[in-house]
Amino acid sequence: MKLIEVENYEAMSKKAGEAVIEQVKQKPNSVLGLATGGTPTGMYRYLVQDYKKNQTSYHQVHSVNLDEYIGLAADSPQSYSRYMNENLFDHINIQKEQTHLPSAGASSDKTEGEKYENLIASLGGIDLQVLGIGENGHIGFNEPGTAFSSETGVVELTASTREANARYFNSIEDVPTHAISMGIATIMKSRQILLLVSGVKKANVLYKLLTGEINEQLPASILKKHKNVTLIADRDALSVVKEKEGSVSR
Ligand code: GLP
């Protein structure tokens, strides 16, 4: 895992945005794996600003999102579909029909997951996957204990993830109990991965990731086995690592 240490959230967002722009310039028909949550919003802002200024074209790009809540309407304020439109797709020249999210209407059978796997394969796989990390080490919505071999499917959210995401809803009761998420094996097939980590809330999990073992109890730890992962972390996110080790471990 290559570590890029940055000062703050803004610097992380800029570095990540630059990497996405570079990817799209190198390969205009890139398949981008995209993430939601608080972490990548600054990166999306950077991409939108760059688009306005430099007209970087996304016309041939396809996007596949990591995950979606089950049971929310697509236009519900908390749906990841709406998040993607508002934060990125509405502001750049990506073709909406080339943007994909797993279906919020998925039932717990395997159909939707398989459909999404086939879609990714038919696009030729993911060139660059952007990832955040949950406070419990989840990637996408793959919670601790998920098999590293998992593929896209419906997952149950842990209480801690529902609590962490309750800030986007009126109350914790409104947070869906299930989501559909790209699997860990699916994420690992991406040719390149950008892992973004910012803020003190992520400092403990980042410490575990950088110093601990590869273990299904920490889903993100599998990323250490991937050949092309860049971790962009800010000073606050690295605070526990620094405190406990005096230096950054890669
Ligand atoms: C969410 C998403 C993840 C995201 C993570 C961290 O629940 N499903 O894809 O990376 O949790 O979210 P945030 O960036 O808001 O801290």
Side-chain angles (χ1 to χ4, degrees):
M1 211 183 272
K2 179 183 164 200
L3 171 67
I4 300 181
E5 204 180 326
V6 292
E7 186 61 29
N8 54 27
Y9 180 78
E10 206 190 330
M12 178 198 74
S13 303
K14 180 169 186 279
K15 274 266 176 256
E18 285 168 352
V20 172
I21 292 163
E22 178 65 19
Q23 171 66 40
V24 171
K25 283 193 172 151
Q26 295 266 334
K27 186 180 174 194
N29 62 347
S30 289
V31 177
L32 300 180
L34 299 177
T36 51
T39 306
T41 54
M43 181 194 80
Y44 293 137
R45 263 197 305 278
Y46 185 84
L47 294 181
V48 171
Q49 278 165 11
D50 163 78
Y51 175 74
K52 286 190 178 142
K53 200 167 146 213
N54 304 312
Q55 287 84 47
T56 303
S57 182
Y58 296 84
H59 194 68
Q60 296 180 57
V61 165
H62 283 263
S63 70
V64 283
N65 261 76
L66 272 175
D67 47 19
E68 179 59 287
Y69 288 114
I70 295 290
L72 294 184
D75 62 348
S76 138
Q78 296 85 9
S79 86
Y80 287 164
S81 155
R82 178 153 163 189
Y83 170 108
M84 288 310 302
N85 286 333
E86 289 180 351
N87 284 285
L88 185 66
F89 301 153
D90 285 347
H91 311 290
I92 59 172
N93 69 337
I94 197 164
Q95 303 186 66
K96 284 279 174 80
E97 58 280 17
Q98 296 192 173
T99 67
H100 310 278
L101 284 97
S103 169
S107 59
S108 54
D109 71 24
K110 290 188 166 171
T111 325
E112 276 307 322
E114 282 171 5
K115 238 168 84 182
Y116 208 65
E117 290 289 330
N118 291 337
L119 168 78
I120 295 170
S122 74
L123 295 173
I126 298 168
D127 291 302
L128 174 65
Q129 175 68 55
V130 177
L131 286 182
I133 186 171
E135 288 168 42
N136 62 6
H138 72 228
I139 48 175
F141 266 134
N142 297 292
E143 299 283 25
T146 306
F148 284 151
S149 59
S150 65
E151 297 200 320
T152 306
V154 172
V155 295
E156 187 171 357
L157 303 181
T158 60
S160 74
T161 294
R162 292 183 69 233
E163 271 160 36
N165 289 0
R167 66 190 192 277
Y168 298 112
F169 294 80
N170 289 331
S171 73
I172 181 128
E173 288 77 39
D174 292 343
V175 184
T177 55
H178 289 75
I180 178 165
S181 178
M182 248 188 226
I184 295 180
T186 323
I187 293 169
M188 286 294 283
K189 279 190 228 157
S190 311
R191 288 185 266 279
Q192 194 190 336
I193 294 176
L194 271 188
L195 175 62
L196 312 185
V197 192
S198 168
V200 284
K201 276 191 173 172
K202 303 290 171 68
N204 278 319
V205 76
L206 188 55
Y207 174 75
K208 279 190 208 155
L209 173 65
L210 291 177
T211 59
E213 307 215 317
I214 298 174
N215 183 309
E216 286 180 350
Q217 289 311 316
L218 192 76
S221 63
I222 191 66
L223 298 173
K224 294 201 227 184
K225 283 205 168 165
H226 192 286
K227 296 215 159 51
N228 195 356
V229 178
T230 304
L231 161 64
I232 308 176
D234 70 8
R235 186 188 284 254
D236 283 349
L238 286 161
S239 56
V240 174
V241 175
K242 300 264 166 147
E243 194 185 295
K244 296 211 180 169
E245 297 212 325
S247 70
V248 176
S249 134
R250 296 170 197 212

